[in-house]
Amino acid sequence: MLKRILIANRGEIAARIIRSCLEMNIETVAVFSAADRGALFTTLATQAVCIGAAPTGASYLNQDAILEAARLTGADAIHPGFGFLSENADFARRVQEAGLTWIGPTPEVIEQLGDKNTAKRIMREHLVPCVPGSDGLLNSPEEAIKLAEEAGYPVLLKATAGGGGKGMREVAGPDELPEAYASAAAEAKAAFGNGDLYLEKLIVNPRHIEVQILGDEQGHIVHLGTRDCTLQRNHQKLVEEAPAIYLAKTDRMRLEQAAVKAAEAVGYSNAGTVEFVVSGSDFYFIEMNTRIQVEHPVTEMLTGVNIVREQIRIASGMPLDFSQDEVQFLGHAIECRINAEDPTHGFNPSPGTIENLLLPSGFGVRVDSVLHQGYQVSPFYDSMIAKIIVHGRSRNEAIARMRRVLAETVIDGVKTTMPLDYMLMYNADYIANRIDTGFIGRNLDLLLRPWGDSPTL
Ligand code: ADP
């Protein structure tokens, strides 16, 4: 079993990982930037090492500094969390070459799945349904126009190295294509150092449904059910729930089986998520994320499985100690992300100091956050500052609980997405589960208006 894990991350996910290590009697090393000195995740850890200045390139993306911190502290493993270096195959390889355990899938698998075009090719070969589109990378706008005609407009240009909605453009017709091609390629090149694009048919008004996977190094793969992450703004998730009850039970089972097949196709180990867009009861693979996801707590609330514990056990070489049949799914869970952003101004980041703070508690509530009064929300990092997760016996019970919990919560000093989260919990279409990935974008004005409607549950 691993003895001392370095967490190459910050904020709530670093704290969340450290807490599980403590429960497993594993020592932890936090690494932090100058902007995070004294932060909760650093004080929870057994020891903490400053690895550089606030900009991510100097600290949380500074591979040399992180590896040096691991060497100095005698860590035997690195957990990358999500974002930062979590899907960087070169870093995973360097961790292993330094004689440390990488808590994640193998660098080869990260590489295969990180290139979305390669991932889709593998999935097609294994008969996992994929969105129709180009067979491979595009060579020119002219080729894209030809393929778009075959697939039928509207189409989506996507960056093979893409993430977080970057390098993605919707195209309604051939006139728009050359310009969209140039701007998507330029954006992807700037963000990921790789401007290669592929083309997909745009699935109109889809849902985003994903499946949590766990695989051990002995070749056992189980799924922990579905999550519905349809509520997005700018192609980024805001509210997630589990299970995805929009799908009938039999369709959900088909999706779970497709996800297990996808994981088997690459010999997947550790925690991962297979993402699909869903239209009606048809589903299409879009990508597989080779790390723990922001929204993993809804799955944990539903199944009682601690995903970080499983990641650590798997990386230690231990087989899963439960079978698929032993995974239980109880009730319904919802997560609201609280981002320091201004929803009334294009979700612009809103850094600043937390002045007043009251985080919720009570039956069926989990809060993953490192906030405290006086906390500085840094402009250097992701704007997500807290996750509030509730569990109920039914979706309606979970919604009622989330209403209560958000009403109780006070976060003053920065603008947040909380008012939007709150209004969603009272929105008639959300309550009836009549939503798609464009729902927030189309209804933002209504959602931001105080008390549009307030249906009882
Ligand atoms: P990223 O890694 O940049 O987040 P994804 O491939 O995961 O990119 O897509 C992000 C979101 O974009 C999805 O959740 C979905 O809302 C939308 N999307 C992606 N592909 C399609 C598609 N072919 N049709 C419709 N929507 C899509």
Side-chain angles (χ1 to χ4, degrees):
M1 192 58 163
L2 299 171
K3 291 199 167 56
R4 188 174 299 154
I5 298 176
L6 181 146
I7 295 91
N9 215 301
R10 64 180 296 281
E12 64 86 21
I13 188 61
R16 190 260 168 272
I17 295 163
I18 292 165
R19 285 174 165 140
S20 279
C21 293
L22 293 172
E23 292 169 11
M24 297 170 80
N25 277 326
I26 297 171
E27 290 183 11
T28 49
V29 179
V31 292
F32 63 94
S33 75
D36 282 332
R37 187 172 296 280
L40 178 67
F41 74 93
T42 68
T43 57
L44 286 176
T46 320
Q47 47 184 321
V49 183
C50 183
I51 48 165
T56 52
S59 47
Y60 299 107
L61 293 175
N62 184 343
Q63 300 186 19
D64 292 336
I66 293 167
L67 290 168
E68 181 61 8
R71 194 184 66 77
L72 286 172
T73 56
D76 53 13
I78 292 188
H79 194 308
F82 49 66
F84 295 127
L85 296 166
S86 60
E87 292 181 288
N88 185 316
D90 293 334
F91 181 61
R93 215 166 262 133
R94 285 187 70 185
V95 168
Q96 292 182 341
E97 281 163 9
L100 306 172
T101 299
W102 168 254
I103 303 179
T106 62
E108 293 70 32
V109 166
I110 297 176
E111 214 149 51
Q112 278 180 331
L113 295 173
D115 187 85
K116 295 183 176 196
N117 179 55
T118 307
K120 275 189 76 178
R121 183 177 48 71
I122 297 170
M123 295 309 156
R124 270 197 302 267
E125 281 166 13
H126 287 81
L127 306 179
V128 177
C130 292
V131 188
S134 59
D135 270 342
L137 295 173
L138 300 167
N139 293 307
S140 66
E142 292 73 33
E143 187 192 5
I145 289 176
K146 201 166 140 276
L147 290 168
E149 231 115 78
E150 285 166 21
Y153 287 97
V155 296
L156 200 58
L157 291 171
K158 294 173 87 170
T160 193
K166 284 212 180 76
M168 200 152 75
R169 292 287 183 285
E170 289 182 17
V171 186
D175 304 348
E176 291 175 16
L177 206 144
E179 199 185 314
Y181 192 104
S183 70
E187 187 175 286
K189 178 93 186 139
F192 315 110
N194 176 354
D196 289 340
L197 302 179
Y198 63 103
L199 181 137
E200 271 179 7
K201 191 169 170 61
L202 180 81
I203 307 299
V204 179
N205 299 339
R207 297 183 76 112
H208 174 116
I209 298 180
E210 58 189 34
V211 180
Q212 175 71 54
I213 292 291
L214 287 175
D216 64 22
E217 292 174 355
Q218 290 70 30
H220 309 113
I221 291 177
V222 298
H223 70 80
L224 300 182
T226 50
R227 288 190 288 257
D228 193 325
C229 312
T230 296
L231 285 178
Q232 307 183 350
R233 45 100 180 70
N234 307 334
H235 294 302
Q236 287 178 331
K237 299 162 189 168
L238 187 67
V239 175
E240 302 101 339
E241 41 188 288
I245 58 168
Y246 160 81
L247 285 177
K249 189 118 201 239
T250 46
D251 292 328
R252 227 181 299 157
M253 285 167 70
R254 271 172 52 227
L255 189 77
E256 289 159 353
Q257 289 318 310
V260 168
K261 200 153 79 172
E264 283 170 353
V266 290
Y268 199 86
S269 65
N270 218 282
T273 298
V274 190
E275 299 195 328
F276 298 89
V277 284
V278 178
S279 175
S281 57
D282 295 330
F283 55 82
Y284 308 96
F285 170 88
I286 49 173
E287 67 170 346
M288 180 160 185
N289 289 324
T290 53
R291 52 171 166 79
I292 192 158
Q293 306 251 123
V294 172
E295 59 273 21
H296 75 276
V298 286
T299 299
E300 296 185 328
M301 295 289 262
L302 197 70
T303 59
V305 174
N306 179 340
I307 294 171
V308 169
R309 169 187 183 269
E310 298 310 322
Q311 287 190 292
I312 293 170
R313 293 182 81 258
I314 291 165
S316 304
M318 300 165 85
L320 287 168
D321 59 0
F322 56 88
S323 67
Q324 186 67 64
D325 293 345
E326 289 170 295
V327 180
Q328 290 184 17
F329 301 94
L330 190 68
H332 200 90
I334 303 177
E335 170 179 279
C336 283
R337 298 190 188 192
I338 315 281
N339 288 36
E341 290 175 5
D342 183 356
T344 61
H345 288 93
F347 297 94
N348 280 337
S350 172
T353 306
I354 304 293
E355 286 155 9
N356 279 314
L357 182 73
L358 182 72
L359 292 174
S361 63
F363 186 76
V365 181
R366 165 173 171 179
V367 181
D368 279 22
S369 149
V370 288
L371 293 181
H372 56 79
Q373 212 135 326
Y375 182 89
Q376 300 280 331
V377 179
S378 168
F380 288 103
Y381 311 122
D382 190 84
S383 62
M384 194 184 70
I385 51 174
K387 304 189 303 209
I388 295 179
I389 308 103
V390 298
H391 183 255
R393 284 174 304 174
S394 65
R395 183 168 186 266
N396 272 0
E397 195 176 293
I399 292 173
R401 183 154 292 142
M402 188 60 93
R403 289 178 174 183
R404 184 273 288 175
V405 160
L406 291 175
E408 185 175 315
T409 307
V410 178
I411 303 175
D412 284 346
V414 295
K415 296 246 180 345
T416 76
T417 49
M418 204 162 61
L420 176 57
D421 290 322
Y422 187 71
M423 293 303 284
L424 280 165
M425 295 301 129
Y426 283 91
N427 179 277
D429 288 318
Y430 172 68
I431 293 164
N433 212 355
R434 281 191 303 263
I435 51 170
D436 60 72
T437 56
F439 180 78
I440 291 180
R442 283 197 310 276
N443 295 289
L444 197 54
D445 285 348
L446 171 76
L447 287 165
L448 292 175
R449 198 181 306 150
W451 299 108
D453 51 9
S454 58
T456 44
L457 291 167

